Amino acid sequence: MHNHNIQKKKPGRPKLTNDSNITRDQILQTASYLFMTFGYEGVSMEQVADASNVTKASVYYYFKNKATLFTIAVSSMFRRIKIQTDKLLNSSNGLKHRLYEVTFEHLIRPHIDFETLLQEASLSLTEEHIQEIRTAENEVHQALENIFKQAMENGEIVVKNPLLLAHAFSTVTMIRNKKELIIELGGPEKTAQALVDLFWVGIGPK
Amino acid sequence: MHNHNIQKKKPGRPKLTNDSNITRDQILQTASYLFMTFGYEGVSMEQVADASNVTKASVYYYFKNKATLFTIAVSSMFRRIKIQTDKLLNSSNGLKHRLYEVTFEHLIRPHIDFETLLQEASLSLTEEHIQEIRTAENEVHQALENIFKQAMENGEIVVKNPLLLAHAFSTVTMIRNKKELIIELGGPEKTAQALVDLFWVGIGPK
Amino acid sequence: MHNHNIQKKKPGRPKLTNDSNITRDQILQTASYLFMTFGYEGVSMEQVADASNVTKASVYYYFKNKATLFTIAVSSMFRRIKIQTDKLLNSSNGLKHRLYEVTFEHLIRPHIDFETLLQEASLSLTEEHIQEIRTAENEVHQALENIFKQAMENGEIVVKNPLLLAHAFSTVTMIRNKKELIIELGGPEKTAQALVDLFWVGIGPK
Amino acid sequence: MHNHNIQKKKPGRPKLTNDSNITRDQILQTASYLFMTFGYEGVSMEQVADASNVTKASVYYYFKNKATLFTIAVSSMFRRIKIQTDKLLNSSNGLKHRLYEVTFEHLIRPHIDFETLLQEASLSLTEEHIQEIRTAENEVHQALENIFKQAMENGEIVVKNPLLLAHAFSTVTMIRNKKELIIELGGPEKTAQALVDLFWVGIGPK
DNA sequence: AATGAATGAGTGTTCATTCAT
DNA sequence: AATGAATGAACACTCATTCAT
C-alpha cells in the first residue's frame, strides 16, 4: 500500500460499479415496477425517488433523464425475463406444462401491456432509446420462439409460424390485467390452465 | 345516446341546443382518438381543444373535467364498437370468416391496450367513472360472447368457456400494435388469417 | 345585438389586444428592467412574475418561454430608445448639447452592457431571437448615425466613419456602471460633460 | 505569482504541494476564461471541473465555493493584465502606437464587459469578494492612468482628466464584442487603428 | 354558447455544496 | 490530494381548472 506499489492506486473514493451498486439497482428495480404498473407519464421522478428511498437528485445522479431511466429499467427487466424463460427451455417437463408455468407466472405478476407502454413513452424517447428497448424485448421473444421450435422438432406441437405463435402467446397472457375475469374463472391457476388448453386444442371442430 | 329519440318530433322551431351537440360530438370523437393513441396522461386538455378546433374553456363548458371527458369518450367509443359487433352476429357468413373480419378490423385501426389505458387513467378516475366504463366495455364482450355462443349452438365450434374465449380473442387482436411483425407476416390480411387459423386449430398434435 | 345583426359578433370574452393589454405591458416593462440589471441567467421567471404582481403561470400565458420574453422585452426597449433618440435629431440644439443630453440620460439609467447581456443569453436563444434583437438594436444605432451624419453635413463635426462613431459613442456611455467613478468626477452631469468634451477634442496635441 | 520564487531552492526533495499548484492553476485559468466568456451564472462548477479535467469535488478541494473561485480567478486575471500593461509603459514606442497595441489586443481576445459580469455576480458575492476584485481591477486602471500621465508629461497628449480617460479608453475597447462591426470595418487591425484615431483627434472642428 | 385571462400545484432538470473514503 | 456519492433548493415549464365576460 506504499508508494512503491506498482499498481497505480486510483485517487479518491473507489467506485462501486463492478460487484454491486446497490442504490442504482434499487432505483432500477423500483422504476421498472412503477413504469409497468402506472405507465410512463403516470410515474414521476419523485415517485421513483421516494419509492427507492433516495432523493430525486440521486436518481439524476445515476440516470441522465427520465427517458434514459425508463429505457434502462425496462431493458434490464426484459433481460431478467429472458433468463427466466431460457431456464424453461432446459426444463425436462413437457411443453404443455412449461407453457402453463409461463402463463401462470405472467398472470400473477401485475403489469401493463408493454406495447402500449412503449407507445405512450415513445413521445419522449429518442430513436436510440426505442431501439435499445426493442433489442432487449426481442431477446425474450426469441427465447419463447426457441421453446416452440424445440417442441416442433420433438413433435410435441404442430405449428406453421413459430414467430406469430410467440407473439400471440405473450399477448394472450396479458389477460392478467382482467382481475375480475380471473376471479370468475377460479383463480390464476385455473385461468392459466384454461388458457393453455384453449391454445392447445383450438376452437375448431375436430 | 341522445340522438336516439327518433320519434316525438317536438313542434315548432328546434332549439339550437340540438345543433350544438355537433361541437360536443366533435370533442368526444377527437378525445377518444387521442386517448386511445397517446394514453390518458399523454393527452392534455389543450391538445383535445386544439384538435377539436375549439378553446380549452369550451371543452370545460361541455365536460366537467378531464376524468369525465375520458369516461364519456371511451364509453361512447365502446358503444360504437358494440353496435358494429352486433351487426356481425346477424351476418350470414360462417363464424371463421366473421372472426377474420373482426380481427382484420382491429389490426388496421390504431389504438392501445384498453386495460393498460384504464389502469393508467384509474389514478385520476373515481369509482363511478370506472364502473361506467366497465359497463360499456362489458357490452362489447357480451356481444362477442353471443357470437361464440351462437356458433356453439350451431356446432361450428367446440368451446368450454365462451367468456374466456371472448377475452382471449379480443386480447390477441392487440397484436395490432406490433407493426413490424405484421409487415413481416405479409400485411394485415395475412396476419389476420394466420391468427384466426391459430385460434381455430390450436397447436396441440391431432 | 340580435341575431339579425350582420356584423358577426365574436363569441366569448373580447380580447384586450389592441388598445392596451395592461398585464402584458407590465410584464414587459418589469422584465426589461430586470434583464438589463441582473442579466439573463440572473433573472428567474418567478422574479419577473413577482415584480409584475402576477403569477409565474401568467407570464407563461403571455410569453412562450424565457427566451421569447427576453427577446420581446429587450426589442421593445430598443424601440423606446430609438424613438427617444429620433426626437433628438429634430431638436434645435447644437450637436454637442444633444450629445450631452444622450450621454446624461444613459448615465443615470441603470443597465448593463448589452453586448455582454446578449452574449450570455445567446446560449439560450435561437438564431431568430438573436436576429430580432439585432434588428431592433440596429435601429438605435442608425438613429444615432443619422444624428452624426446630419452634424457632418452642417459642418458641426469632422468624422471619417460615422458608423464606428455611433458604436463608440454608445459604448462609452456604458461607463455609467462605474458608480464610484461618476461620484469621484462630481456626479452624472459633470461626468457627461467631461465625456462629451473628451470625444469632442480628442487627446492628441493641437 | 507563486512560481516566481526562483531563488532559495529548498534543500531535499520538494514537497508534492508545489507540483499540485499545477492543478489549482489549471482550474483558475479555465475558470477565468469561462467566466469571461459565459458570465457568472452561465458557468457551472461542473463545467469548470470538466474543462479542467478534474472532478467537481476537486474544484471544491481548492476553492471554498463558486464565489471564491470567481473572485480569485478574475483577480489573478487582472494581475496578469496589469503586468502586461506595465510592460507597455516601458516600451519605447510612441503613445499612439502603444494605444494601438492595447486596443488591438483587446479586440482579438474574446471576453465580456467586466462591469456587467461583476454586477451579475455581485448577487452571489460578499462585500469582501467585491472589494478584492475591485482592488485588482484598479491596479489595471492605474497602470493605464500611468501611461497617460507619462504621455502628458512628455507633451504627447493634452488631457484634463487622466482617470476618466483610462476608463473611457478601456470601455471603448469593449467594442470588440461587435464582431460584425469589426468585419465591416475591415478586420481588427483597421478597427483598432480607427478607434485610436477617433480618440486622438476627437470629432470637433479644428 | 363560448372565450380570454389567470392561477396553484406539479414535473423534469440543474446546480452548488457536503461528506465519507 | 482527489473522488464518488448524495442532496436541498431552485429553475423553466406544463397543465387541469376557474372565472368574468
Side-chain angles (χ1 to χ4, degrees), chain A residues 142-199:
Chain A
Q142 277 164 16
L144 253 183
E145 212 184 334
N146 284 340
I147 295 187
F148 286 126
K149 278 184 181 163
Q150 190 197 40
M152 278 175 68
E153 288 161 10
N154 294 351
E156 279 192 285
I157 59 173
V158 179
V159 142
K160 288 177 186 161
N161 195 328
L163 183 60
L164 175 66
L165 180 55
H167 277 91
F169 186 76
S170 75
T171 302
V172 144
T173 57
M174 287 257 316
I175 236 173
R176 76 179 98 70
N177 286 318
K178 318 204 173 179
K179 292 179 199 168
E180 289 153 19
L181 175 66
I182 294 178
I183 292 170
E184 200 173 325
L185 292 179
E189 293 90 350
K190 295 208 171 159
T191 306
Q193 206 62 262
L195 265 176
V196 172
D197 274 351
L198 175 59
F199 246 78

Side-chain angles (χ1 to χ4, degrees), chain C residues 52-161:
Chain C
S52 308
N53 281 324
V54 293
T55 62
K56 207 184 353 173
S58 287
V59 178
Y60 278 94
Y61 177 74
Y62 287 105
F63 306 96
K64 198 184 156 201
N65 50 37
K66 192 180 179 181
T68 303
L69 172 61
F70 176 80
T71 302
I72 299 181
V74 298
S75 295
S76 59
M77 183 198 69
F78 276 130
R79 248 159 243 133
R80 282 196 300 271
I81 294 181
K82 180 206 152 40
I83 290 173
Q84 226 176 343
T85 309
D86 271 342
K87 279 188 195 150
L88 273 187
L89 184 61
N90 304 319
S91 126
S92 58
N93 295 97
L95 176 67
K96 201 172 176 184
H97 187 73
R98 285 185 278 168
L99 287 183
Y100 165 75
E101 278 178 348
V102 177
T103 308
F104 178 72
E105 287 257 337
H106 273 241
L107 285 183
I108 60 175
R109 222 181 315 168
H111 50 278
I112 63 184
D113 173 38
F114 184 70
E115 276 305 313
T116 298
L117 174 59
L118 190 52
Q119 187 165 342
E120 186 204 345
S122 67
L123 297 168
S124 311
L125 302 184
T126 70
E127 197 53 47
E128 275 142 310
H129 285 144
I130 296 180
Q131 275 312 319
E132 192 174 332
I133 295 175
R134 288 280 181 218
T135 304
E137 191 197 7
N138 274 345
E139 287 176 25
V140 175
H141 279 125
Q142 276 164 19
L144 253 181
E145 211 184 335
N146 284 339
I147 294 187
F148 287 125
K149 279 185 180 162
Q150 192 198 40
M152 278 174 66
E153 288 161 11
N154 294 352
E156 278 192 284
I157 59 175
V158 179
V159 142
K160 289 178 185 159
N161 196 328

Side-chain angles (χ1 to χ4, degrees), chain D residues 35-99:
Chain D
F35 283 133
M36 294 310 284
T37 309
F38 302 114
Y40 183 80
E41 307 273 6
V43 175
S44 74
M45 293 298 265
E46 191 132 34
Q47 273 176 61
V48 174
D50 287 353
S52 308
N53 282 323
V54 294
T55 61
K56 217 188 335 178
S58 287
V59 178
Y60 277 92
Y61 177 75
Y62 286 106
F63 305 96
K64 195 186 160 197
N65 51 34
K66 192 180 178 181
T68 302
L69 171 61
F70 176 82
T71 302
I72 299 180
V74 298
S75 296
S76 59
M77 183 197 70
F78 275 131
R79 255 162 235 131
R80 282 195 300 271
I81 294 180
K82 180 206 155 36
I83 291 172
Q84 225 177 345
T85 310
D86 271 343
K87 279 187 195 153
L88 272 186
L89 185 60
N90 304 320
S91 129
S92 58
N93 295 99
L95 176 68
K96 202 172 175 184
H97 187 72
R98 286 183 279 166
L99 286 184

Side-chain angles (χ1 to χ4, degrees), chain D:
Chain D
M1 297 198 81
H2 297 296
N3 346 11
H4 288 303
N5 25 349
I6 298 176
Q7 301 88 351
K8 290 198 262 181
K9 182 176 180 298
K10 287 200 181 161
R13 182 175 176 178
K15 273 200 277 183
L16 277 177
T17 329
N18 281 349
D19 280 348
S20 302
N21 284 354
I22 292 177
T23 302
R24 199 186 118 106
D25 286 353
Q26 176 61 38
I27 295 172
L28 277 183
Q29 195 100 2
T30 308
S32 68
Y33 168 76
L34 289 175
F35 283 133
M36 294 310 284
T37 309
F38 302 114
Y40 183 80
E41 307 273 6
V43 175
S44 74
M45 293 298 265
E46 191 132 34
Q47 273 176 61
V48 174
D50 287 353
S52 308
N53 282 323
V54 294
T55 61
K56 217 188 335 178
S58 287
V59 178
Y60 277 92
Y61 177 75
Y62 286 106
F63 305 96
K64 195 186 160 197
N65 51 34
K66 192 180 178 181
T68 302
L69 171 61
F70 176 82
T71 302
I72 299 180
V74 298
S75 296
S76 59
M77 183 197 70
F78 275 131
R79 255 162 235 131
R80 282 195 300 271
I81 294 180
K82 180 206 155 36
I83 291 172
Q84 225 177 345
T85 310
D86 271 343
K87 279 187 195 153
L88 272 186
L89 185 60
N90 304 320
S91 129
S92 58
N93 295 99
L95 176 68
K96 202 172 175 184
H97 187 72
R98 286 183 279 166
L99 286 184
Y100 164 76
E101 277 177 350
V102 178
T103 308
F104 178 73
E105 287 257 337
H106 272 242
L107 285 182
I108 59 176
R109 221 180 319 166
H111 52 277
I112 63 183
D113 174 38
F114 184 71
E115 275 307 309
T116 299
L117 174 60
L118 190 52
Q119 188 163 344
E120 186 204 344
S122 66
L123 297 168
S124 312
L125 303 183
T126 69
E127 198 53 46
E128 276 140 311
H129 287 143
I130 297 181
Q131 275 314 318
E132 189 173 337
I133 294 174
R134 287 282 179 215
T135 303
E137 191 197 6
N138 275 344
E139 287 176 24
V140 175
H141 278 125
Q142 276 163 19
L144 252 183
E145 212 183 333
N146 285 339
I147 295 187
F148 286 125
K149 278 185 180 163
Q150 190 197 40
M152 278 176 65
E153 288 161 10
N154 294 352
E156 278 191 285
I157 60 173
V158 180
V159 142
K160 289 179 187 161
N161 195 328
L163 182 59
L164 175 67
L165 180 55
H167 278 91
F169 187 75
S170 74
T171 302
V172 144
T173 57
M174 286 260 316
I175 237 173
R176 74 178 99 68
N177 287 319
K178 319 204 172 179
K179 292 179 198 168
E180 289 153 19
L181 175 65
I182 293 178
I183 293 170
E184 202 173 324
L185 293 179
E189 293 90 351
K190 296 209 171 159
T191 306
Q193 206 63 260
L195 265 176
V196 173
D197 274 351
L198 176 59
F199 247 77
W200 202 258
V201 302
I203 59 177
K206 300 292 129 38

Side-chain angles (χ1 to χ4, degrees), chain B residues 28-44:
Chain B
L28 277 183
Q29 197 100 1
T30 307
S32 66
Y33 169 77
L34 289 175
F35 283 132
M36 294 310 286
T37 308
F38 302 113
Y40 183 80
E41 306 274 6
V43 175
S44 76

Side-chain angles (χ1 to χ4, degrees), chain B residues 8 13 15 24 28 46 65-66 89 91 95 97 99 102 140 144 147 165 167-168 177 193 198 203:
Chain B
K8 291 199 264 181
R13 183 174 175 180
K15 273 199 277 185
R24 199 186 120 106
L28 277 183
E46 191 132 33
N65 51 34
K66 191 180 179 181
L89 185 61
S91 128
L95 177 66
H97 187 72
L99 287 184
V102 178
V140 175
L144 252 183
I147 295 186
L165 180 55
H167 277 90
N177 285 321
Q193 205 63 260
L198 176 60
I203 60 177

